[in-house]
Amino acid sequence: MIRRFSLKNFRNYERADLDFAPARNLFIGGNGQGKSNLLEAIFYLAILRSFRTGKISELVQIGRREFCLEAELIDGRKRDLFRSEYNCENRRTLCINGERISKSSEFIGEITPIVFAPEDIRIISGPSSQRRSFLDMFISMEQAGYMRSLYCYTQALKQRNAVLRKHLPRASAEVFGAVMARYGIEIAHARMAAISELEQEMLRLFEKYPLIQREFKLNYQFDYQLDFESYNRTLNDNYLREIKRGFTTLGPHLDEMVCLYDRKLARNFASAGQTRLLALFFKIASLNILYRHVLENNSANNL
């Protein structure tokens, strides 16, 4: 549980220190005062990503070069101090109880936030990137190592695309393609498992509300084989075609979570009300799943 939270030079806050009650806590204020920014700060400290932007530099207060977030967490009698600093030049620094942490996987997982914001309807109606982002954030809170796999894959993808744009030799593309194949398979398997878990929880939610029961289905759509040799070979075979386009044309960065509602694609046919309902159910399903995992982990640790 968060006992104390502070932020410096984050969004519209030059400085803020918050003390949290053991039970429910509310942020009350007028429009534009920074309520969502507080939620974003807590979310960022939890998984080192924002639910509003992919550019960390946008989180820094205008006119400043860095921000700092710090939380005191209490678990029984145990107290831990988590601190994250971001500098536009030196990038990110992570500390737990004053000790520098080099791996983000050791930092992520102590806080499991679920945010439901107006823009979350884009999980249903937006482009596939919105659904991938939702999945990645959800899995990152379940599996501490997932973020590293995603980072390694993304870096290799950027390097391979640079090779394709600059028309460098095939051997260079093959090096980065092998890294993509290794981590891409891990990402795809993790996403498929998460989609199956989310689908089952969503169906439970629909069963509780007879007036809105509909046929519901989630699928993971991809166009490569889930073994290293086949995936890597396909990337290499695509080299000549992709070098003309200047980018990699298959992989988890292009995969899709397909949401079927009444046997129709929700992103194309769901009404405005249905879109809001599905987005809300996705968030509630995420919360239920993560809460069960927390209980299971606590029970395992007490054995």
Side-chain angles (χ1 to χ4, degrees):
M1 182 187 73
I2 300 176
R3 175 64 184 85
R4 183 178 58 82
F5 191 86
S6 65
L7 56 163
K8 180 181 178 182
N9 299 334
F10 187 92
R11 291 289 193 182
N12 67 322
Y13 288 94
E14 182 176 350
R15 178 81 190 189
D17 296 285
L18 307 171
D19 291 320
F20 285 78
R24 297 178 179 178
N25 295 270
L26 299 175
F27 298 147
I28 300 174
N31 291 333
Q33 286 190 303
K35 301 184 298 297
S36 297
N37 293 342
L38 289 175
L39 294 175
E40 184 180 25
I42 295 171
F43 191 94
Y44 178 86
L45 190 66
I47 66 170
L48 304 177
R49 293 179 70 176
S50 166
F51 62 85
R52 301 160 85 185
T53 178
K55 297 180 180 179
I56 301 179
S57 59
E58 293 181 358
L59 306 181
V60 182
Q61 187 182 36
I62 295 175
R64 303 291 184 175
R65 299 289 297 168
E66 73 285 324
F67 69 75
C68 177
L69 304 173
E70 188 173 270
E72 180 184 4
L73 307 182
I74 299 178
D75 184 5
R77 295 184 178 180
K78 181 183 177 185
R79 291 173 179 257
D80 290 307
L81 191 64
F82 283 71
R83 183 183 182 91
S84 175
E85 299 178 2
Y86 174 82
N87 184 291
C88 293
E89 296 176 356
N90 299 325
R91 300 295 176 175
R92 188 176 64 197
T93 302
L94 304 175
C95 294
I96 301 178
N97 297 328
E99 294 187 14
R100 183 85 171 261
I101 302 299
S102 58
K103 295 182 179 179
S104 60
S105 58
E106 298 176 8
F107 193 89
I108 295 172
E110 293 297 322
I111 308 173
T112 52
I114 298 294
V115 176
F116 183 57
E119 56 266 28
D120 284 330
I121 62 171
R122 291 182 293 180
I123 296 172
I124 308 303
S125 59
S128 59
S129 59
Q130 295 289 330
R131 288 175 285 283
R132 288 193 298 271
S133 179
F134 164 73
L135 269 179
D136 291 339
M137 287 186 180
F138 170 67
I139 300 170
S140 296
M141 288 185 280
E142 278 196 302
Q143 305 173 23
Y146 180 77
M147 192 70 79
R148 174 168 174 75
S149 296
L150 198 62
Y151 174 81
C152 292
Y153 176 86
T154 302
Q155 292 301 113
L157 172 65
K158 290 179 180 178
Q159 296 291 339
R160 188 175 188 274
N161 284 345
V163 168
L164 296 173
R165 287 195 302 270
K166 296 176 182 178
H167 292 200
L168 297 180
R170 179 192 293 264
S172 299
E174 290 177 351
V175 169
F176 297 115
V179 178
M180 286 179 57
R182 174 189 170 186
Y183 290 104
I185 292 171
E186 293 182 9
I187 292 167
H189 279 297
R191 285 178 177 173
M192 284 190 289
I195 283 175
S196 176
E197 204 170 17
L198 284 166
E199 181 187 60
Q200 293 304 311
E201 190 61 35
M202 293 280 281
L203 290 172
R204 292 189 190 100
L205 290 173
F206 276 110
E207 288 176 0
K208 292 182 179 179
Y209 302 97
L211 294 178
I212 57 174
Q213 283 183 1
R214 295 288 191 277
E215 186 172 340
F216 178 80
K217 181 71 177 174
L218 288 178
N219 292 316
Y220 188 59
Q221 192 174 77
F222 59 97
D223 57 357
Y224 48 89
Q225 293 178 285
L226 293 177
D227 68 272
F228 176 83
E229 294 298 332
S230 299
Y231 187 175
N232 192 42
R233 182 170 57 251
T234 302
L235 284 172
N236 294 335
D237 290 345
N238 286 352
Y239 172 78
L240 291 178
R241 177 168 58 89
E242 291 177 339
I243 203 170
K244 296 178 181 178
R245 298 187 177 186
F247 61 90
T248 305
T249 57
L250 84 163
H253 62 290
L254 296 173
D255 293 348
E256 168 72 291
M257 179 177 74
V258 179
C259 180
L260 297 174
Y261 191 62
D262 275 353
R263 301 185 182 184
K264 298 177 182 179
L265 281 175
R267 69 173 184 268
N268 293 336
F269 296 101
S271 67
Q274 290 170 337
T275 297
R276 294 188 183 94
L277 176 68
L278 287 171
L280 176 61
F281 272 22
F282 267 119
K283 293 294 182 168
I284 296 174
S286 303
L287 177 62
N288 291 345
I289 292 168
L290 292 172
Y291 182 67
R292 282 201 300 269
H293 286 185
V294 169
L295 293 180
E296 291 168 0
N297 290 336
N298 289 341
S299 298
N301 291 335
N302 292 329
L303 292 178

